[in-house]
Amino acid sequence: MGGFAVQFAKAKGAYVICMASKDNVAYVKELGADEVIDYKTQNYEELLRDVDLVLEASPTRNNSERIKAISVLKDGEIFVSVNTDFPFNDALMKSS
């Protein structure tokens, strides 16, 4: 899912920042990512601010991670999750 999202976003002219492991950095850049954050060694919530859209396509099912993702968004911008099998909890709804 994430690979398609990168390509679609780039086709629409977006500046794309992805999270991947060190082993997948080259692949994600090949897909078109402008920046890649190594989620194993870097804290994206400390590196990013004022993001227009966050797409959650991670296999991790964790609402505290979702809250961190929302924290990098500009006020009023968009959070999308493809993880429809994992519901948002009350803390997440209050943070958005």
Side-chain angles (χ1 to χ4, degrees):
M1 177 69 197
F4 287 119
V6 172
Q7 294 174 70
F8 290 140
K10 287 307 295 180
K12 288 297 191 178
Y15 186 87
V16 177
I17 305 167
C18 296
M19 292 193 335
S21 66
K22 174 178 70 169
D23 296 335
N24 289 317
V25 169
Y27 168 70
V28 175
K29 285 191 173 190
E30 189 176 296
L31 292 175
D34 296 292
E35 291 183 51
V36 182
I37 295 172
D38 181 346
Y39 67 86
K40 292 183 178 182
T41 63
Q42 297 177 288
N43 295 320
Y44 70 89
E45 69 277 11
E46 295 173 4
L47 301 170
L48 302 174
R49 290 283 173 261
D50 297 326
V51 173
D52 294 315
L53 182 137
V54 170
L55 171 65
E56 176 199 30
S58 168
T60 303
R61 304 300 195 263
N62 184 323
N63 277 311
S64 62
E65 286 299 317
R66 287 174 167 170
I67 291 170
K68 286 195 294 188
I70 289 170
S71 77
V72 305
L73 287 168
K74 287 181 190 173
D75 284 343
E77 293 302 317
I78 302 167
F79 176 79
V80 177
S81 177
V82 300
N83 296 327
T84 58
D85 63 323
F86 185 71
F88 294 170
N89 66 11
D90 290 339
L92 178 70
M93 296 306 289
K94 290 176 185 173
S95 71
S96 54

